Amino acid sequence: MRVLLVEDEPKLNLSIKKGLEQQGYAVDNVFDGTEAELLATSEDYDLIILDVLLPGQDGYAVCRKVRDFGIETPILFLTAKDALEDKVNGLNLGADDYLVKPFAFEELSARIRALLRRPKKAIPELLASGNLVLNTLTHQVTLREKEITLTLKEFQLLEYLLRNKNQVITREQLVSHVWDQHFDSFSNIIDAHIKNLRKKLKGDYAKKLETVRGVGYTFRE
Ligand code: CA
């Protein structure tokens, strides 16, 4: 899951980024409203965390422009303002949730999970193909009821491929959902991770993870 984080307080920004990365999210973090609009309308995110008071333009303006652009990515507002009026303002502009500062990281994390679980995005907790089961909450992967140990990136790659079974996923799509914007998409690190993943899956399940020559990969069921 790839998250755009917009927060101008450097310490808070970096601590949220770090916390989310530890939970397995790929996080692009920016510190002003102008850059936020640029990224939100040009990159593909699964969630946007948006502070209200920002240099450049405020979070409300960013939210309105993103929605006007036709982007339906869930938006979670962060703000020090807790007036009812502000909440109503944000929600009217198309935000999905609202968190008042200061907040505990666990609270943010719970809100994010709730937003990502919404039926519109249809994200199940268990992703499976035959005897291969991936639990998105506990990060456990089992094959024929035996747990297999994956690195974080291998897990994220497998998760994305299982969510999009039988579809051809380009290397660019994998990069944008599993790595942050600074990743060099021409490097062959994806292929290396896929190779390791196949080794761990073994036999017929490794074969399901097909290479689509010149394009990317698909998890064939
Ligand atoms: Ca701020």
Side-chain angles (χ1 to χ4, degrees):
M1 290 289 152
R2 190 180 179 197
V3 175
L4 174 63
L5 166 66
V6 189
E7 166 61 64
D8 63 320
E9 289 169 45
K11 264 175 99 175
L12 183 60
N13 183 312
L14 296 175
S15 79
I16 295 173
K17 178 178 162 76
K18 199 172 154 212
L20 292 178
E21 283 176 345
Q22 280 168 351
Q23 296 192 344
Y25 296 96
V27 182
D28 286 344
N29 60 328
V30 296
F31 301 83
D32 70 79
T34 313
E35 219 182 330
E37 182 192 342
L38 194 71
L39 277 181
T41 54
S42 62
E43 300 286 323
D44 189 9
Y45 293 102
D46 300 294
L47 176 81
I48 300 170
I49 300 172
L50 189 56
D51 186 25
V52 171
L53 294 178
L54 290 166
Q57 58 183 339
D58 69 16
Y60 297 138
V62 176
C63 179
R64 198 174 50 239
K65 287 175 186 172
V66 166
R67 292 293 183 243
D68 285 350
F69 211 78
I71 293 168
E72 292 175 7
T73 306
I75 294 178
L76 170 67
F77 267 129
L78 298 181
T79 185
K81 293 171 153 192
D82 59 353
L84 181 63
E85 188 184 327
D86 288 324
K87 290 184 191 176
V88 171
N89 193 7
L91 296 173
N92 282 343
L93 288 170
D96 297 272
D97 201 359
Y98 213 98
L99 194 56
V100 176
K101 295 184 207 173
F103 52 82
F105 182 76
E106 291 68 30
E107 174 67 19
L108 174 66
S109 173
R111 299 285 189 97
I112 291 172
R113 284 199 303 274
L115 281 176
L116 292 175
R117 268 205 303 270
R118 284 202 176 166
K120 197 173 73 179
K121 298 221 97 189
I123 295 169
E125 290 173 4
L126 290 179
L127 299 170
S129 173
N131 288 312
L132 176 67
V133 181
L134 180 148
N135 186 316
T136 58
L137 286 183
T138 62
H139 276 215
Q140 273 179 319
V141 179
T142 56
L143 182 59
R144 297 187 182 90
E145 293 178 11
K146 273 194 193 150
E147 189 170 350
I148 52 175
T149 311
L150 301 182
T151 66
L152 185 56
K153 289 298 176 201
E154 288 163 3
F155 179 91
Q156 291 173 316
L157 283 171
L158 185 61
E159 178 183 0
Y160 195 74
L161 288 164
L162 282 176
R163 281 192 197 286
N164 299 281
K165 276 186 285 198
N166 300 316
Q167 293 175 39
V168 177
I169 305 299
T170 65
R171 302 166 95 257
E172 288 71 27
Q173 278 174 296
L174 285 175
V175 166
S176 76
H177 283 272
V178 177
W179 278 271
D180 64 31
Q181 59 173 330
H182 303 297
F183 183 77
D184 171 13
S185 59
F186 295 105
S187 94
N188 57 9
I189 194 159
I190 290 180
D191 308 274
H193 282 297
I194 294 279
K195 205 175 148 192
N196 290 335
L197 201 45
R198 282 197 184 113
K199 269 189 212 157
K200 291 180 181 179
L201 293 177
K202 296 178 196 140
D204 46 347
Y205 281 90
K207 280 188 203 134
K208 285 172 182 249
L209 219 171
E210 293 175 11
T211 301
V212 182
R213 202 164 288 279
V215 185
Y217 296 94
T218 187
F219 193 94
R220 192 75 63 190
E221 193 167 54

